[in-house]
Amino acid sequence: MDKKKSLKKQFFKDLLSDRLSDTWKLLSETTGFLSKTPVFLQYEEELRSWRYELQNANSDGETSGRIRQKIVYLRKSLREQGYDLSLARQNLILDGFRNDASLGKGFRRVVIYFGEDDIYWFSGDDNHITLAEILDRQLAVRTQKQSCKIRSKHYLWYRRKGNDLVLSGSDTETKEDFIRLKAMAEANSLVILAKLRRLK
């Protein structure tokens, strides 16, 4: 119940923020977000049209206000479909391989498993094999209640830098697995960012 209240509160907070934001900023952020989704083509022409109208509106407040309402409505609709528009400001960056020297550069260890219908992760100071064993035990407890088929496992270094989440392969990660991870990140960066939101 508390989670539902929190989500509802965030929903209305986001709507208010949209109404107070600059029209150009809203359009740019919405375009950036949608460009990372599979539904971008459905909205591309409309977004282009709004940009064109704004460019030609000069100081016409009525045109700007009308377009702003349309953008706010679109953003509300996207949120109702389950999209998290705050992810538009975040970037998922896959950056080669690293070793233990990465600790001195602010990186930490994380193990990420991609399941059939979810992403599971565990981070800490232990080595990647130990972290994977801990995550395996957690999933073993979980699978007693629900099925949890893992499709791929990744042993990574990570660092948050502003709006960027940087992931790098560790010595335990194979090159083939890292290439597969890159392909998944290119196709589903928003999904991965949403699942790794609490990875600090």
Side-chain angles (χ1 to χ4, degrees):
M1 188 67 178
D2 289 340
K3 188 176 180 182
K4 283 184 179 178
K5 283 183 180 177
S6 175
L7 287 172
K8 193 172 183 180
K9 186 177 179 182
Q10 185 62 46
F11 182 84
F12 287 112
K13 184 179 175 185
D14 290 339
L15 282 179
L16 180 62
S17 174
D18 284 354
R19 294 185 194 287
L20 298 175
S21 294
D22 174 71
T23 305
W24 274 109
K25 182 185 173 192
L26 271 182
L27 180 57
S28 178
E29 187 178 294
T30 306
T31 303
F33 174 83
L34 283 169
S35 70
K36 298 177 183 178
T37 70
V39 296
F40 178 62
L41 291 176
Q42 296 174 29
Y43 299 98
E44 186 177 17
E45 188 58 42
E46 191 170 27
L47 293 165
R48 191 181 293 121
S49 171
W50 291 343
R51 182 171 298 279
Y52 178 79
E53 284 187 66
L54 278 177
Q55 286 172 338
N56 292 305
N58 295 323
S59 57
D60 180 3
E62 187 178 325
T63 300
S64 179
R66 180 175 49 77
I67 293 171
R68 173 191 198 61
Q69 284 181 342
K70 289 181 178 182
I71 299 169
V72 168
Y73 179 79
L74 171 60
R75 291 170 67 86
K76 180 183 175 188
S77 172
L78 289 168
R79 287 190 186 100
E80 288 171 346
Q81 293 173 51
Y83 287 105
D84 181 353
L85 275 74
S86 68
L87 296 174
R89 295 181 290 274
Q90 296 185 31
N91 301 301
L92 181 60
I93 299 170
L94 273 76
D95 185 28
F97 282 78
R98 299 181 185 278
N99 55 33
D100 288 356
S102 301
L103 289 166
K105 297 177 181 176
F107 281 84
R108 297 190 64 209
R109 294 180 183 93
V110 64
V111 176
I112 302 174
Y113 291 0
F114 288 82
E116 275 187 329
D117 56 0
D118 209 348
I119 297 172
Y120 309 92
W121 59 270
F122 190 80
S123 67
D125 297 323
D126 293 313
N127 65 53
H128 285 94
I129 299 300
T130 302
L131 293 178
E133 289 170 353
I134 294 169
L135 183 54
D136 286 337
R137 286 196 295 272
Q138 289 178 352
L139 291 176
V141 171
R142 218 180 275 187
T143 53
Q144 292 174 356
K145 299 173 185 174
Q146 62 185 31
S147 63
C148 174
K149 187 173 181 182
I150 302 301
R151 293 196 175 275
S152 65
K153 299 181 179 184
H154 300 277
Y155 308 87
L156 308 166
W157 292 97
Y158 79 93
R159 183 176 72 161
R160 291 270 181 193
K161 186 178 180 183
N163 291 327
D164 297 337
L165 172 59
V166 181
L167 298 177
S168 297
S170 71
D171 292 336
T172 312
E173 178 85 354
T174 68
K175 287 183 180 178
E176 293 78 14
D177 286 342
F178 194 67
I179 289 169
R180 187 179 304 122
L181 177 62
K182 272 189 167 183
M184 288 188 287
E186 286 173 13
N188 301 295
S189 67
L190 290 175
V191 173
I192 297 171
L193 284 168
K195 294 293 183 178
L196 301 180
R197 183 193 308 277
R198 288 181 19 246
L199 184 61
K200 302 295 183 193

